[in-house]
Amino acid sequence: MQTLHLFPERPDPLLTIVVPCFQEEETIPEFHQRISRVVKRLPVTCEILYVDDGSSDLTTDLLREYQDGSTVRCLILSRNFGKEAALRAGIDHARGSAVLFIDVDLQDPPELIPGMVEFWQKGYDVVNMQRNLRVGDSWFKRMSARAYYWVMQRLVEKVDLPADVSDFRLIGPAPLAALRALDERSRILKGMIGWVGFRTIELPYNRAVRHAGSSKWNAAGLFNLAIESILSFSRKPLRIFSLISFGLFVSSICYLLAALVAGSFDSHHLLVGMSSFICVGVAMVGEYVGVTLAEVKRRPLYFLKNSSKPDPMPLHPSVSSIEGKKC
Ligand code: UDP
Ligand code: MG
């Protein structure tokens, strides 16, 4: 049993703002201006970490121009790996003890960041921004998001996945350390953040219209995200298949016995019996694969959060009341 301590040393800067960028030459200048104004007003030391996710327009040049090695840094990925990978790169390279994700297209207003920091300082480990108005999103995007949360909330057990919470969130030191301890390949960050737990709050906000350019998501991308989310966090589809197969098997046995007693048994009954038997076999294999998957991921069985009230955090949030345990 390995004990994992979630006590990062108090680093400087305290907060890293991670900004994934892909083909965003039109939005970056305005975003940079607005975020720079906000950062100056923040009561904590802060760095901006841009992650260029393999852009082929002027994004990389602009980011190189802004970086100064201390308060503004930029990571350049070797190709387009997708937003989830860009956020993961941000987590891996953040120097702050807490991380805040924000999109560069200004749909998430940077001016809301001080409010998020305030709740972090009040003792919340995760501050999620929850969209109550999605004026910037198309009808298709709104409907697919609703369907996604509807399915996920039914399939994923014991993980809090609040609806309409995207990646605009602040993750405090303890959940950040917990996330880094998860060594799996899953790219579904929102599921992982829900999974690690800790004290969380949702703050409502109005999602704005994109400043320029267009969304990088299409129907196929959203479908992939949904499938990957289900595969990463739920074994329920396998269990549903197993239960149906078992039900089918029991009914077919009754059907065969009835046919034998009535003397009407023929090849048709044999076929029904064999099919239900094969279904049960496939379901069993599925269940074993599900268990193997959980073993391969080696997720910690739990994290501990000290029950004592967190220290008031005027300028330097303390993380000493929280520890994690990995089994
Ligand atoms: N993004 C990224 N890699 C991608 C696609 C998007 O880093 O492959 C960034 C993008 O530059 C933006 C954020 O992720 O900062 C959200 O992208 P987008 O606006 O296209 O998504 P939507 O708001 O429509 O969900
Ligand atoms: Mg957007």
Side-chain angles (χ1 to χ4, degrees):
M1 184 178 290
Q2 176 198 354
T3 301
L4 183 85
H5 292 284
L6 306 183
F7 303 134
E9 278 175 25
R10 183 165 296 156
D12 191 22
L14 213 51
L15 176 68
T16 298
I17 299 177
V18 174
V19 193
C21 307
F22 177 56
Q23 310 289 66
E24 298 282 4
E25 61 181 12
E26 292 168 276
T27 56
I28 288 173
E30 173 73 11
F31 175 85
H32 190 69
Q33 249 185 33
R34 278 173 62 178
I35 194 105
S36 302
R37 276 201 298 269
V38 169
V39 162
K40 279 191 197 124
R41 285 194 285 122
L42 284 181
V44 292
T45 51
C46 187
E47 70 168 351
I48 302 170
L49 180 60
Y50 288 108
V51 184
D52 176 22
D53 185 18
S55 307
S56 55
D57 62 358
L58 291 178
T59 296
T60 320
D61 299 333
L62 283 168
L63 297 183
R64 281 214 174 104
E65 206 176 290
Y66 295 142
Q67 75 172 344
D68 57 16
S70 59
T71 48
V72 182
R73 292 192 296 137
C74 94
L75 299 173
I76 299 166
L77 304 191
S78 59
R79 65 166 172 84
N80 178 239
F81 286 93
K83 184 182 177 186
E84 295 281 337
L87 296 181
R88 185 71 217 197
I91 287 183
D92 292 343
H93 291 83
R95 293 192 296 209
S97 67
V99 155
L100 187 149
F101 298 132
I102 183 167
D103 289 355
V104 76
D105 58 10
L106 293 167
Q107 284 197 273
D108 307 329
E111 291 72 21
L112 299 179
I113 292 176
M116 298 166 79
V117 171
E118 200 182 310
F119 275 90
W120 172 38
Q121 292 185 318
K122 279 182 188 161
Y124 286 95
D125 297 303
V126 178
V127 182
N128 287 325
M129 297 305 282
Q130 190 167 40
R131 299 176 268 211
N132 53 12
L133 250 187
R134 303 176 67 125
V135 282
D137 289 340
S138 63
W139 179 88
F140 171 74
K141 194 88 196 294
R142 287 201 300 270
M143 286 304 125
S144 52
R146 192 173 289 181
Y148 174 82
Y149 287 111
W150 190 88
V151 172
M152 289 300 284
Q153 279 162 356
R154 273 150 192 84
L155 285 186
V156 179
E157 288 162 338
K158 294 184 183 146
V159 175
D160 203 12
L161 275 182
D164 287 328
V165 169
S166 68
D167 294 311
F168 189 20
R169 56 160 60 91
L170 188 155
I171 306 167
L176 187 61
L179 278 180
R180 285 179 174 144
L182 298 185
D183 199 23
E184 62 188 75
R185 301 290 102 193
S186 167
R187 297 185 296 127
I188 312 299
L189 211 53
K190 77 175 77 195
M192 285 162 75
I193 290 164
W195 186 84
V196 299
F198 296 99
R199 197 169 175 221
T200 302
I201 188 168
E202 276 79 50
L203 305 180
Y205 82 112
N206 294 339
R207 188 156 160 92
V209 184
R210 210 176 209 285
H211 175 68
S214 57
S215 170
K216 311 295 179 295
W217 286 99
N218 54 25
L222 290 170
F223 185 71
N224 280 343
L225 179 80
I227 297 291
E228 214 167 305
S229 306
I230 293 168
L231 292 182
S232 296
F233 290 96
S234 179
R235 273 157 56 189
K236 257 195 187 174
L238 280 180
R239 187 55 47 84
I240 291 168
F241 180 70
S242 298
L243 290 175
I244 293 175
S245 301
F246 187 69
L248 218 64
F249 184 66
V250 172
S251 345
S252 73
I253 295 284
C254 297
Y255 183 56
L256 295 190
L257 287 177
L260 276 174
V261 170
S264 59
F265 189 86
D266 59 16
S267 58
H268 164 252
H269 292 93
L270 203 63
L271 203 68
V272 170
M274 277 172 63
S275 330
S276 63
F277 186 67
I278 290 171
C279 274
V280 171
V282 174
M284 271 171 57
V285 172
E287 291 285 344
Y288 279 113
V289 170
V291 173
T292 313
L293 204 69
E295 284 297 324
V296 169
K297 282 182 185 158
R298 299 206 65 77
R299 280 185 191 162
L301 293 182
Y302 54 83
F303 292 104
L304 291 185
K305 181 170 78 173
N306 211 328
S307 57
S308 65
K309 248 183 114 205
D311 297 338
M313 294 181 290
L315 278 182
H316 296 289
S318 159
V319 292
S320 59
S321 60
I322 301 163
E323 86 171 17
K325 204 163 228 192
K326 190 177 184 178
C327 290

